[in-house]
């Protein structure tokens, strides 16, 4: 029976095998699928014979039409503030280029999809007029000629060429047009109100991009019609508050309250908060009598960094709602209930490498979310840099072509066309479950912010901007001229909304921020204790752990395992488990993960080559040596509460992948999310995510998460790269106090465990506790197979827990004259050196937890050594690195004893690349601690 693993609600996991013989688009060691991944059906598509015949019979006409589909965008004039002369001709679009005469008749069947040409036999001249209108107009243009899939190209051509047909025009009833006008008028009123009442605030308003609201209005309506339950959005600051307050139910009083100098969180909340342009919203939106959960993820000022966070959050919701491959229904595709939407800035999309990483993840197994809808708010300037100086491509959207995303370029002056294209983009995403882009060509009414003067660097562009009407005014006038909207109605919309904003401003003194955290799936989670450290029984009956460990190396009889793994991994693990001794790191990890799964928690481990592990130690997934099939033994446990393990082999990326895992971790506290860097210093590539989300996300936004980051670390002669995970950087980012004991309520935990059991307990503690904190594990390399770094079954049993320090049980306390403190693998080298010297007067104490700093345990341990005169901090790292500068002030202030340094000297790089120097340094840092 399971002991100490009770949970209020057990979870049913999805089937770990989907035995449908489908031909997948992306081969991933499996034609059957594993938990979280299901191969896609091969879509059947064939161009009708009569269409093929028509194209063959009119080959030159067809080539000409295809040229418009491929190159027509080059002659389109969708830029509302262009200062460049528009190209007027292109050889590829000239019918004479294909030997066609203007009065020549053509049969449009199979060649073109405009209904106005279907009722008669047009001439080349007539067809040219329609082609120019559709592909080279002033409202919209399209790029999809590079899409390799024939079905997609045919679908896109058909739908795009019918944008002006009743099928799409019915979206633009007079009532709907008036609704769009209302949204734009309110957006302008909001920005005007903010400019008047808060003139010194950088608000990043939506002036020039007000049509953005038409995009969201149409997207919400389509989503409701398609019964989507969740929309997860990443959006930068531009126009963010106008969207939130006008369309997404956020009270303007919340913004005004913040701008009056108050927090957006209730009294008593310890959050340091953030600026209004980073405001978050997660609310139920009523659309056409249906409810959609709209979640806009938090964004820092680091542009585009929130995009992979939204992808991870979307996938987590898909897992919870059994969407796509998490469903028992083999026909269910990803994004059936949860849709991911990402907005970009033009310069940021072209310039930030995280976008390439996100697109590269789009269709990768275990990272796919069923296709995202992207919208680029193309201001045509980055900070103050003109658009064509901020990239080497023709369009800001060209990166989308790397994964063959169709792109629609829309004139921001035409909110109606944007609504139509939004419907088209939505339909494409639903049809093919792939990413698609809308490039909204608009402008910024002001500079980078409202306090900036853009004419310094862009005088011509802003000469146009400053001498033109606003988008809301232009659209309102259009509807007035067409007798759809009266001037009185437009004025009433504005005046009533301004009255509402004034009422909200007057309500600020009485406004009380609502609690927006620890809601819904987070209800059973609380904030960490601010008074003391708590301790959690994370032990498990060894009989159960033995079963789990045995299951972790059990595979079907017809499975062809690698012979080396059979001997050194499977057989060796079974032997250790049965003996209950010398349990190694990988086995302890499997027992920790498996016991959490037994309890009902889902576990996900992500990173490069995580299935086998960088050091070929994990092998949590096995690969059949004959048919290449993947098998995850832990997912076939026959008992327990149904938790599942997802093994996510990532692209060669750190920033986007870590952000993705963070997005999963902030969505569901009952999923253990683990990201493993291939080597610890690979975390350098994700520093933006570490600084702006993981380290500070809770204190800024009250977004708790239990993400685990494994960073292999150790000086083994590997030179400057791959030796150090830069412990010092993480410790510098901790809010641990130097002169007062830490409580549970620190922003991030940093541990450097030295035994498999310690690792086991710290993983289980992440889920067992009633609060969530990010965990940085300074993970081992040589300890993975070091015989001294093993554990006994007694270290895992019920009643055991993670030890913040591991004291020294060997020497007699009264005989101790010297105490060496250390952390991590350096302990084993020091212990060997002490044994070689046969020293009885030296104790070695391990700090397993660095943050929170274990002041109480250290005080208690130091009291044992009443005769000790010297206290040494020993580390492998250089003096300006490692934990020295973190431990020294805390030890001296809280323990009251002077601490002496012993380690490598200061250096600009983490480790030498000269073998002889490395050996000399090792000898020195092992000898010197015993000489002080």
């Amino acid at each position: 029976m399971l002991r100490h693993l009770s949970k209020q609600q057990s979870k049913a996991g999805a089937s770990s095998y989907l035995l449908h013989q489908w031909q997948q688009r992306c081969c991933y060691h499996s034609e059957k699928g594993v938990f979280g991944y299901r191969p896609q059906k091969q879509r059947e598509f064939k161009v009708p014979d009569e269409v093929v015949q028509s194209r063959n019979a009119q080959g030159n006409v067809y080539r000409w039409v295809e040229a418009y589909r491929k190159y027509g965008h080059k002659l389109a004039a969708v830029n509302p503030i262009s200062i460049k002369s528009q190209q007027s001709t292109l050889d590829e679009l000239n019918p004479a280029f294909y030997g066609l005469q203007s009065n020549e008749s053509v049969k449009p069947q199979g060649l073109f999809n405009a209904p106005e040409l279907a009722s008669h036999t047009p001439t080349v001249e007539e067809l040219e007029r329609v082609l120019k209108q559709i592909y080279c107009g002033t409202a919209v243009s399209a790029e999809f000629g590079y899409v390799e899939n024939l079905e997609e190209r045919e679908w896109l051509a058909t739908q795009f060429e019918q944008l002006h047909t009743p099928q799409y025009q019915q979206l633009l009833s007079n009532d709907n047009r008036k609704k769009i006008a209302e949204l734009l008028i309110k957006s302008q009123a909001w920005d005007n109100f903010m400019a008047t009442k808060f003139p010194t605030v950088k608000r990043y308003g939506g002036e020039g991009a007000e049509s953005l609201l038409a995009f969201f209005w149409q997207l919400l309506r389509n989503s409701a019609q398609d019964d989507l339950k969740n929309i997860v959005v990443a959006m930068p600051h531009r126009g963010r508050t106008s969207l939130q307050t006008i369309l997404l139910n956020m009270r303007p009083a919340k913004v005004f309250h913040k701008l009056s100098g108050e927090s957006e969180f209730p009294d008593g909340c310890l959050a340091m908060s953030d600026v209004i342009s980073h405001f978050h919203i997660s609310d139920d939106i009523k659309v056409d009598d249906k409810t959609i959960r709209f979640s806009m993820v938090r964004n820092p000022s680091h542009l585009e960094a929130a995009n992979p966070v939204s992808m991870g959050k979307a996938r987590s919701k898909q897992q919870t709602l059994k969407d796509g491959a998490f469903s028992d229904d083999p026909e269910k595709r990803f994004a059936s209930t949860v849709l991911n939407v990402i907005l970009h800035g033009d310069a940021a999309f072209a310039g930030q490498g995280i976008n390439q990483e996100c697109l590269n993840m789009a269709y990768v197994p275990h990272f796919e979310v069923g296709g995202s809808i992207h919208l680029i708010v193309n201001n045509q300037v980055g900070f103050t840099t003109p658009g064509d100086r901020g990239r080497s491509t023709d369009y800001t959207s060209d990166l989308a072509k790397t994964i063959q995303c169709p792109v629609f370029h829309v004139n921001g002056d035409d909110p109606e066309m944007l609504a139509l294209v939004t419907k088209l983009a939505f339909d494409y995403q639903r049809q093919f479950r792939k990413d698609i882009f809308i490039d909204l060509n608009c402008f910024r009414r002001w500079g980078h912010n409202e306090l900036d003067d853009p004419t310094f660097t862009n005088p011509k562009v802003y000469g146009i901007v400053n001498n033109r009407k606003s988008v809301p005014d232009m659209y309102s006038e259009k509807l007035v001229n067409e007798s759809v909207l009266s001037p009185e109605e437009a004025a009433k919309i504005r005046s009533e909304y301004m009255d509402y904003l004034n009422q909200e401003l007057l309500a600020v003194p009485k406004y009380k921020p609502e609690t927006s955290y620890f809601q819904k799936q987070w209800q059973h989670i609380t904030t960490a204790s601010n008074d003391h450290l708590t301790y959690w029984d994370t032990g498990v009956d060894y009989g159960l752990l033995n079963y789990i460990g045995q299951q972790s190396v059990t595979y079907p009889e017809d499975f062809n395992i690698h012979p080396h793994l059979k001997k050194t991994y499977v057989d060796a693990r079974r032997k250790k488990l049965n003996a209950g001794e010398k349990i190694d790191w990988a086995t302890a990890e499997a027992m920790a993960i498996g016991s959490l799964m037994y309890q009902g928690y889902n576990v996900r481990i992500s990173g490069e080559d995580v299935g086998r592990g960088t050091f070929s130690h994990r092998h949590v997934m096995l690969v059949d040596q004959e048919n290449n099939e993947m098998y995850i033994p832990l997912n076939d446990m026959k008992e327990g509460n149904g938790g599942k393990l997802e093994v996510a082999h990532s692209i060669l990326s750190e920033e986007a992948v870590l952000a993705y895992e963070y997005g999963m971790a902030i969505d569901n506290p009952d999923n253990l999310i683990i990201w493993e860097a291939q080597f610890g210093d690979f975390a350098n590539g994700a520093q933006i995510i570490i600084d702006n989300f993981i380290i500070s996300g809770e204190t800024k936004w009250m977004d708790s998460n239990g993400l685990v980051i494994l960073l292999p670390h150790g000086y083994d002669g590997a030179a400057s790269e791959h030796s150090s995970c830069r412990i010092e950087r993480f410790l510098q980012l901790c809010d641990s106090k130097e002169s007062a004991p830490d409580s549970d309520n620190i922003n991030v935990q940093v541990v450097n465990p030295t035994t498999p059991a310690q690792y086991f307990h710290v993983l289980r503690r992440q889920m067992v506790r009633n609060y969530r904190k990010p965990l940085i594990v300074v993970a081992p390399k040589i300890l993975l197979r070091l015989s001294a770094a093993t554990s006994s079954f007694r270290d895992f049993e019920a009643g055991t827990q993670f030890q913040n320090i591991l004291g020294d049980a060997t020497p007699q306390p009264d005989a101790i004259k010297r105490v060496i403190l250390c952390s991590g693998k350096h302990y084993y080298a020091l212990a060997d050196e002490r044994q070689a010297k046969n020293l009885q007067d030296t104790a070695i104490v391990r700090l397993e937890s660095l943050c929170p700093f274990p002041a109480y345990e250290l005080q208690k341990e130091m009291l044992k050594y009443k005769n000790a005169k010297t206290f040494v901090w020993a580390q492998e790292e250089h003096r300006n690195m490692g934990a020295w500068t973190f431990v020294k002030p805390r030890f001296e202030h809280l323990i009251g004893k002077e601490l002496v340094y012993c380690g490598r000297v200061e250096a600009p790089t983490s480790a030498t690349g000269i073998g002889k120097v490395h050996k000399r340094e090792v000898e020195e840092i092992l000898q010197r601690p015993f000489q002080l």
Side-chain angles (χ1 to χ4, degrees), residues 754-790:
T754 57
T755 72
Q758 285 283 81
Y759 179 50
F760 167 90
H761 288 298
V762 83
L763 286 182
R764 285 193 39 77
R765 190 178 68 172
Q766 283 295 96
M767 294 287 99
V768 169
R769 293 189 297 200
N770 62 351
Y771 65 90
R772 297 290 179 263
K773 293 285 183 180
L775 172 65
I776 311 298
V777 179
V778 181
K781 294 188 291 185
I782 67 168
L783 297 192
L784 295 172
R785 294 179 174 84
L786 188 68
S787 59
T790 57

Side-chain angles (χ1 to χ4, degrees), residues 149-190:
N149 184 277
L150 177 60
E151 181 187 4
E152 291 179 43
R153 287 201 313 277
E154 293 284 327
W155 187 95
L156 287 161
T158 299
Q159 299 302 315
F160 187 72
E161 289 162 9
Q162 297 183 36
L163 269 180
H164 300 285
T165 65
Q167 174 190 353
Y168 283 96
Q169 292 298 317
Q170 65 182 352
L171 298 173
L172 299 176
S173 66
N174 285 343
D175 286 344
N176 286 345
R177 297 171 79 196
K178 290 172 72 172
K179 181 60 181 176
I180 292 173
E182 177 186 344
L183 293 172
L184 268 60
I185 291 169
K186 286 183 176 180
S187 178
Q188 181 169 261
W190 169 262

